[in-house]
Amino acid sequence: MISVLADSQIFHNLDRGSLQVLLHHAHRRSVPEQQVIVRQGDPALAFYIVAQGHAKIAQVTPDGHPVLIRYIGPSQEFGLVAVLSGFTYPASVQAVDACEMLVWEGELLAQLIERDSRIAFNAMRILSWQHQEQQLRYQALLTERVEQRLARSLIKLAKLVGRDSDDGTLIDLRLSREDLADLIGTTLFTVSRILSRWDLEGVVRAGRESVTILDMQSLVRVASST
Amino acid sequence: MISVLADSQIFHNLDRGSLQVLLHHAHRRSVPEQQVIVRQGDPALAFYIVAQGHAKIAQVTPDGHPVLIRYIGPSQEFGLVAVLSGFTYPASVQAVDACEMLVWEGELLAQLIERDSRIAFNAMRILSWQHQEQQLRYQALLTERVEQRLARSLIKLAKLVGRDSDDGTLIDLRLSREDLADLIGTTLFTVSRILSRWDLEGVVRAGRESVTILDMQSLVRVASST
DNA sequence: CGATGAATTGACCGATGTCAAGTGGCGTGG
DNA sequence: CCACGCCACTTGACATCGGTCAATTCATCG
């Protein structure tokens, strides 16, 4: 359990003693598959680190359009805004499979940050990194075609949750065409078409709520083609 | 000069004494119109607050496509990443008109943050806010049409630098069609077409590197129409 | 007054969204 | 255990926003 903390961004570079203290302050929370962990718009009261399982972070735009921000796994965190008083969660987080979470109350974490500035800088690094990621997403939407964005996304997901079998890499999430579409900013129809073609070409195997990457090379080529 | 600090986000809620100290630590930097203040990709060594004038923050994507992030004015800051060692500026900043800047070395500001956690929380608030802004831009690109985004942008710019004359609100920046296009993620051609039409309809006056808003009501209507 | 760069306008087209109809696989309840 | 129904997915037809490119025109400054 300590190693989950040690691998996290927020508690990166802390000594074992500090980690022990932090772990001592944490609550645990188990959530079953598909359960919503925090809801967009709710007051941000707690900060979470995933100990086990995977979750997806998603928003809904004012006009009801869903936007999938990212998938996270063990040692990754969300809800950092909870340390700032008066904030609400900017997105909902939903368990993809059964999850174990470590949870700190925002106010408590704020106190810990006051005491140990290393955590403060880690927090800023996380926020900067997220901001940068978001800018890349914006740029991708602006300059890349759906094919390219899809290829990139699959590669990234494979890195996060890829499970190698004999013939390829299975992306081991309940990943529907619609999820993929919301992730890269397109429609499930376009995703379906592209995956069907890639399936024919032997690049991927397109299953029900699953994608297996058969030919990573081709995918990388598509992802990095101008 | 103190009031510039007092109005800034990063030093918000600090007592006058602390502000004095902070001001004492600051360098000054004057930059002429059009000069580039910091360059995307350069090591982030300093943190800036605009004391006077306006600047534009812009990125270039890997494939050379320009993206204009935002315009800033007095008391607004940039280069917060400078407090994190090893980071580079994620964007370039260029003076639109002659600017006076207050500058702190990143390392110094990091020390100040260590000593006063209020600044740390302010920094996190800024980063969160920027992240949120960026997400809204993404959502806008995804769900809104160019017309809508343009209307929104003009309204926002009017709030930042609008100068009321007898017949309308002049946006007082050297604002070319291309700048507007890069700001909302489209081409100068599309912007030109829309502004021409709006000019005909009496909604705006479209000049060379300038836009005057004549009928704010119509603009608001376009901005908030589904 | 000429040069330079901003802006306009037209013609064209293509990637991708929209909508409708249908297929197929999986789980559940009878 | 089977059948039904749901839901993910597929595929086709079609529409359209807005991008691309080229040819001008216009304004400002030296």
Side-chain angles (χ1 to χ4, degrees):
Chain A
M1 217 49 162
I2 277 280
S3 71
V4 170
L5 295 197
D7 288 347
S8 73
Q9 304 255 329
I10 186 78
F11 300 136
H12 184 242
N13 261 339
L14 297 187
D15 50 288
R16 200 152 204 83
S18 305
L19 292 178
Q20 287 286 5
V21 174
L22 286 164
L23 189 54
H24 179 258
H25 281 299
H27 301 172
R28 314 279 169 117
R29 185 172 167 197
S30 309
V31 293
E33 199 174 339
Q34 303 292 346
Q35 186 166 107
V36 173
I37 303 169
V38 310
R39 207 173 293 275
Q40 174 178 0
D42 283 357
L45 300 176
F47 169 78
Y48 290 76
I49 294 182
V50 178
Q52 226 179 82
H54 298 274
K56 65 176 174 188
I57 304 182
Q59 286 185 325
V60 178
T61 66
D63 60 317
H65 195 102
V67 175
L68 222 164
I69 311 275
R70 61 191 222 271
Y71 283 86
I72 58 174
S75 287
Q76 297 192 278
E77 67 283 289
F78 64 89
L80 192 43
V81 285
V83 305
L84 304 171
S85 55
F87 276 62
T88 59
Y89 290 115
S92 296
V93 182
Q94 185 182 11
V96 175
D97 41 23
C99 283
E100 285 292 324
M101 322 285 309
L102 291 170
V103 191
W104 290 262
E105 281 153 41
E107 202 143 332
L108 177 67
L109 187 59
Q111 286 168 22
L112 296 171
I113 286 176
E114 276 182 37
R115 262 185 254 141
D116 191 339
S117 66
R118 287 175 299 178
I119 308 179
F121 286 107
N122 285 340
M124 290 185 230
R125 244 181 290 272
I126 291 170
L127 291 168
S128 295
W129 176 82
Q130 286 179 357
H131 184 209
Q132 196 121 354
E133 278 292 299
Q134 192 58 30
Q135 273 174 344
L136 290 178
R137 286 163 59 76
Y138 180 86
Q139 293 179 2
L141 193 57
L142 205 55
T143 63
E144 295 175 2
R145 294 197 266 146
V146 173
E147 252 194 24
Q148 238 175 114
R149 308 205 300 272
L150 184 54
R152 262 193 223 295
S153 253
L154 290 178
I155 293 167
K156 205 165 153 188
L157 286 170
K159 275 185 197 146
L160 180 65
V161 295
R163 192 196 291 185
D164 287 358
S165 64
D166 44 352
D167 53 349
T169 306
L170 170 68
I171 291 172
D172 202 7
L173 296 166
R174 237 182 142 64
L175 186 71
S176 70
R177 303 289 181 271
E178 195 163 10
D179 289 330
L180 271 172
D182 295 343
L183 193 56
I184 64 178
T186 180
T187 63
L188 71 136
F189 305 102
T190 304
V191 170
S192 176
R193 273 181 241 277
I194 295 175
L195 286 183
S196 292
R197 203 182 69 236
W198 284 351
D199 191 316
L200 263 181
E201 297 170 356
V203 177
V204 303
R205 183 169 329 111
R208 187 190 173 83
E209 293 187 307
S210 84
V211 178
T212 307
I213 298 176
L214 303 179
D215 179 359
M216 183 60 91
Q217 288 311 312
S218 297
L219 227 47
V220 170
R221 207 174 317 119
V222 173
S224 56
S225 67
T226 45
Chain B
M1 216 51 161
I2 276 280
S3 71
V4 170
L5 295 198
D7 289 347
S8 72
Q9 303 256 329
I10 187 77
F11 300 136
H12 184 241
N13 260 339
L14 297 187
D15 50 287
R16 200 150 204 84
S18 304
L19 292 179
Q20 288 286 4
V21 173
L22 286 164
L23 190 54
H24 180 257
H25 280 300
H27 301 171
R28 316 277 169 117
R29 185 171 165 196
S30 309
V31 293
E33 199 174 340
Q34 305 292 347
Q35 184 164 108
V36 174
I37 303 168
V38 310
R39 206 174 294 273
Q40 175 178 359
D42 283 357
L45 300 176
F47 169 78
Y48 291 75
I49 294 183
V50 177
Q52 225 179 83
H54 297 274
K56 65 177 175 187
I57 303 181
Q59 285 184 326
V60 178
T61 67
D63 60 317
H65 195 101
V67 175
L68 222 163
I69 311 276
R70 62 192 221 272
Y71 283 86
I72 59 174
S75 286
Q76 297 191 280
E77 67 283 289
F78 63 88
L80 193 43
V81 285
V83 305
L84 304 172
S85 55
F87 276 62
T88 58
Y89 290 115
S92 297
V93 182
Q94 183 183 11
V96 175
D97 40 23
C99 284
E100 285 293 322
M101 323 286 308
L102 291 171
V103 191
W104 290 262
E105 279 153 44
E107 202 143 332
L108 176 68
L109 186 59
Q111 286 168 23
L112 296 171
I113 286 176
E114 276 182 38
R115 262 185 255 143
D116 190 339
S117 67
R118 288 175 298 178
I119 308 179
F121 286 107
N122 285 340
M124 290 185 232
R125 242 181 292 273
I126 291 170
L127 291 168
S128 295
W129 176 83
Q130 287 179 357
H131 184 210
Q132 196 122 354
E133 278 292 299
Q134 191 58 30
Q135 273 174 344
L136 290 178
R137 287 162 58 77
Y138 180 86
Q139 293 180 0
L141 193 55
L142 205 54
T143 65
E144 296 175 1
R145 295 198 264 145
V146 173
E147 254 195 23
Q148 239 175 113
R149 308 206 299 273
L150 183 55
R152 261 194 222 297
S153 252
L154 289 178
I155 293 167
K156 205 165 153 190
L157 285 171
K159 273 184 198 146
L160 180 65
V161 296
R163 191 196 293 185
D164 286 358
S165 65
D166 44 351
D167 53 349
T169 306
L170 169 69
I171 292 173
D172 203 9
L173 296 166
R174 238 183 142 63
L175 186 70
S176 70
R177 303 290 181 268
E178 194 163 11
D179 289 329
L180 270 173
D182 295 342
L183 194 56
I184 65 179
T186 181
T187 61
L188 72 138
F189 305 102
T190 303
V191 170
S192 176
R193 273 180 241 278
I194 295 175
L195 286 183
S196 293
R197 203 183 69 239
W198 283 351
D199 192 316
L200 263 182
E201 296 169 358
V203 178
V204 304
R205 183 168 331 111
R208 187 187 174 86
E209 293 188 308
S210 85
V211 178
T212 307
I213 298 176
L214 303 178
D215 179 358
M216 182 62 88
Q217 288 310 312
S218 298
L219 226 47
V220 170
R221 207 175 316 121
V222 172
S224 58
S225 66
T226 45

